[in-house]
Amino acid sequence: MDFGAGGGAVGAMGNHGANVDMMSWYMEIPLISRLYLTGAFLTTAACAVDIISPFNLYFNWDLVFSEGQVWRLITSYLFFGVFSVDFLFHMYFLVRYSRLLEEGDFRGRTANYVLMLLFGIACISLVAVYTHVHFLGSALTFMMVYVWGRRNEDVKMSFLGFFQFNAPYLPWVMLGFSILLGNGITMDLIGIAVGHTYYFLEYVLPVVAEIRGWRRKKFLQPPALLHWLCGSYEQQHLHDD
């Protein structure tokens, strides 16, 4: 009896199980979060093997609007640096809080979630013109963290297992940790500012409008085209009726 062959078969089954588990985890991620994760991973991988250069990806206002390199409006949000612990850290926060939003507040409202991301990209890109930052994905991630925290005020969290706080303070705890590590905080502050702007327009201003009897109650409504692209046009049409 060849125990070596049997061991190899068991090992193969174990590897197959791990692959299945990884694929199951990946496919369980909601669509928009999964697309963002995939785009970020493929962009970083392409840079790692020199298929593309980060110099072709970074945000630059003149190159976008004078040279017509409009792809930089998207690629500057997909590159998080070379494969490293810092890259894994960014991917963890991106997947975790994008998924929590998409499965929570935006469940069944994919078009609204896409609109939130487009709003964030537009605002962050505008601020980037004046702050001269080039890779903007971490600011968008901070925006997600801020919005999720404000929408889950009673959720208890802990830092390093001993410092406890409520979810709305999470962006500020992360900001303080960045300061302790000596990292730049420009992107963190931009993400917090844009996240607060979105939160106010989406969740606070409609309440004010309702109280004061304004004719317009919603200020960030996805257009019909976006609903159609996200497969929710019929649902929105019935809701409006």
Side-chain angles (χ1 to χ4, degrees), residues 13-200:
M13 290 176 63
N15 291 334
H16 176 70
N19 292 335
V20 170
D21 289 342
M22 181 61 71
M23 183 56 67
S24 298
W25 170 82
Y26 175 75
M27 295 306 297
E28 286 173 358
I29 300 174
L31 177 62
I32 304 303
S33 302
R34 186 165 72 243
L35 289 175
Y36 197 175
L37 171 65
T38 303
F41 179 83
L42 291 178
T43 301
T44 302
C47 289
V49 297
D50 293 328
I51 295 177
I52 55 176
S53 167
F55 291 104
N56 295 324
L57 305 176
Y58 72 91
F59 177 81
N60 182 288
W61 178 270
D62 293 329
L63 292 176
V64 171
F65 294 99
S66 298
E67 302 295 330
Q69 299 181 12
V70 293
W71 66 81
R72 294 178 184 270
L73 291 171
I74 300 300
T75 57
S76 56
Y77 291 88
L78 297 177
F79 184 69
F80 288 84
V82 298
F83 287 121
S84 62
V85 173
D86 187 58
F87 173 79
L88 294 176
F89 180 78
H90 278 103
M91 290 302 97
Y92 168 78
F93 275 92
L94 168 63
V95 174
R96 175 173 172 78
Y97 290 100
S98 179
R99 181 174 185 170
L100 285 172
L101 282 172
E102 199 170 351
E103 292 181 337
D105 265 28
F106 294 94
R107 179 182 291 275
R109 300 196 305 142
T110 302
N112 294 77
Y113 187 59
V114 173
L115 181 64
M116 187 197 85
L117 295 180
L118 293 176
F119 176 87
I121 289 172
C123 292
I124 293 169
S125 298
L126 183 62
V127 175
V129 175
Y130 301 99
T131 54
H132 305 292
V133 290
H134 303 297
F135 293 105
L136 312 175
S138 59
L140 189 60
T141 303
F142 243 82
M143 175 192 175
M144 297 176 190
V145 173
Y146 182 91
V147 173
W148 177 83
R150 291 300 301 269
R151 294 296 293 167
N152 295 271
E153 296 184 352
D154 297 326
V155 174
K156 300 290 185 182
M157 310 194 73
S158 65
F159 179 68
L160 300 178
F162 62 88
F163 177 53
Q164 300 228 346
F165 56 92
N166 285 0
Y169 295 102
L170 177 59
W172 303 103
V173 172
M174 293 170 61
L175 179 69
F177 189 60
S178 294
I179 295 174
L180 289 176
L181 293 179
N183 297 331
I185 60 172
T186 301
M187 302 304 297
D188 303 358
L189 290 173
I190 293 174
I192 289 173
V194 173
H196 182 74
T197 303
Y198 176 82
Y199 177 81
F200 177 80

